[in-house]
């Protein structure tokens, strides 16, 4: 229970990696705000699962692309739990298209969710962390933010942007007891990667020494460690659990 007494906010927490992160932080003793945009039933199920294990959680509906929603979700977390120690910027959307087929609207939506959302949630959470001189900010990026991927230029761009944000903010707030790190998973068995089938899946598995996709729980274990007291000397780093893929 290394996170006992702490409060966490996880965006995009109704399914996939976000769900696994919310459960892992709760298992560590943290109270958790489960933020979702559309999947109310799934988010409520995450809260119920945490409660069944003896933890504290609540679900909050909002769009991270809306800065007002970000401010409200942070304020609600502090109102319920008295503090916010851990922010996990996980909310994201996928786009698999060639650049020439990507519309301005699609490009802007990815930028809004991944970059504006991360900025707005972090900006809302920082004042309280600075006041207490403690905080853990963890941004869920992607291996494509490191290597790039053909057919995913827009997605690769926003994921690389999250890494740049992480490195720069870590330098700004490191002296205030706040760490900022990124987790950049390889292919993980989630709904977002449900289209990875057939030859695409075979190709990915052939490039992966462990020979399989990752699980959301394996990514969540990395986040839980970075959120804990043992990671206080780790900041500005990109952790990439990817099964051994070298990029």
């Amino acid at each position: 229970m290394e996170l006992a007494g702490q409060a966490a906010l996880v965006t995009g927490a109704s399914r996939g990696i976000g769900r696994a992160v919310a459960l892992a932080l709760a298992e560590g003793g943290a109270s958790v705000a489960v933020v979702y945009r559309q999947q109310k039933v799934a988010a409520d199920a995450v809260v119920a699962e945490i409660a069944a294990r003896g933890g504290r959680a609540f679900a909050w509906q909002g769009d991270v692309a809306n800065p007002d929603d970000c401010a409200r979700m942070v304020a609600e977390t502090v109102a319920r739990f008295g503090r916010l120690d851990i922010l996990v910027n996980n909310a994201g959307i996928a786009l698999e298209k060639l650049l020439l087929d990507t519309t301005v609207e699609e490009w802007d939506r990815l930028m809004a969710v991944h970059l504006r959302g991360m900025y707005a949630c972090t900006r809302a959470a920082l004042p309280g962390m600075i006041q207490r001189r403690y905080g853990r900010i963890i941004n869920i990026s992607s291996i494509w933010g490191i290597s790039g991927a053909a057919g995913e230029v827009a997605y690769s761009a926003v994921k690389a942007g999250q890494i740049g944000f992480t490195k720069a903010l870590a330098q700004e707030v490191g002296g205030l007891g706040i760490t900022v790190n990124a987790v950049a998973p390889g292919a993980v068995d989630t709904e977002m990667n449900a289209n990875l089938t057939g030859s695409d899946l075979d190709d990915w598995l052939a490039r992966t020494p462990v020979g399989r996709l990752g699980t959301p729980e394996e990514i969540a274990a990395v986040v839980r460690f970075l959120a804990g007291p043992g990671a206080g000397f780790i900041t500005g780093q990109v952790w990439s659990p990817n099964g051994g893929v070298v990029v």
Side-chain angles (χ1 to χ4, degrees):
M1 303 293 283
E2 76 279 8
L3 304 177
Q6 297 191 35
L9 186 157
V10 183
T11 65
S14 64
R15 57 184 180 175
I17 291 173
R19 174 185 178 277
V21 167
L23 293 173
L25 296 180
E27 287 174 0
S31 301
V32 184
V34 176
V35 176
Y36 68 99
R37 186 170 71 92
Q38 293 179 314
Q39 305 290 332
K40 182 181 188 307
V41 172
D44 288 342
V46 176
V47 171
E49 188 167 349
I50 291 172
R53 299 178 183 182
R56 298 175 65 202
F58 73 95
W60 201 93
Q61 191 277 331
D63 185 350
V64 297
N66 182 339
D68 291 337
D69 277 4
C70 294
R72 285 192 288 266
M73 69 179 68
V74 169
E76 183 66 19
T77 302
V78 173
R80 294 205 185 205
F81 300 144
R83 57 193 297 149
L84 175 57
D85 305 281
I86 303 161
L87 171 65
V88 182
N89 288 305
N90 168 74
I93 55 176
L95 182 67
E96 188 173 351
K97 278 190 173 183
L98 297 173
L99 180 63
L100 289 177
D101 295 330
T102 302
T103 67
V104 171
E105 292 75 20
E106 289 170 332
W107 177 273
D108 286 348
R109 181 60 182 166
L110 256 72
M111 293 291 168
V113 172
H114 293 268
L115 294 181
R116 187 198 302 160
M118 178 180 60
Y119 150 79
C121 289
T122 304
R123 191 171 188 271
L126 269 178
M129 293 181 177
I130 292 171
Q131 184 178 28
R132 291 189 305 278
R133 299 187 71 82
Y134 182 87
R136 298 284 189 264
I137 298 170
I138 302 160
N139 302 315
I140 307 302
S141 180
S142 166
I143 194 172
W144 300 143
I146 301 172
S147 69
E152 296 192 55
V153 172
Y155 186 77
S156 298
V158 294
K159 289 304 181 182
Q162 290 179 322
I163 290 173
F165 178 101
T166 296
K167 291 177 177 291
L169 184 62
Q171 296 179 59
E172 285 192 12
V173 300
L176 300 170
I178 302 167
T179 65
V180 189
N181 290 288
V183 177
V188 178
D189 189 9
T190 65
E191 290 183 29
M192 186 175 286
N193 286 321
N195 63 331
L196 194 61
T197 58
S199 60
D200 289 338
L201 178 59
D202 292 339
D203 178 66
W204 183 263
L205 296 181
R207 295 171 54 196
T208 307
V210 302
R212 63 173 176 82
L213 300 181
T215 68
E217 290 73 23
E218 288 171 319
I219 310 308
V222 177
V223 175
R224 177 173 170 176
F225 170 72
L226 291 173
F233 197 55
I234 300 170
T235 194
Q237 304 303 304
V238 182
W239 290 47
S240 184
N242 57 48
V245 173
V246 178
V247 296

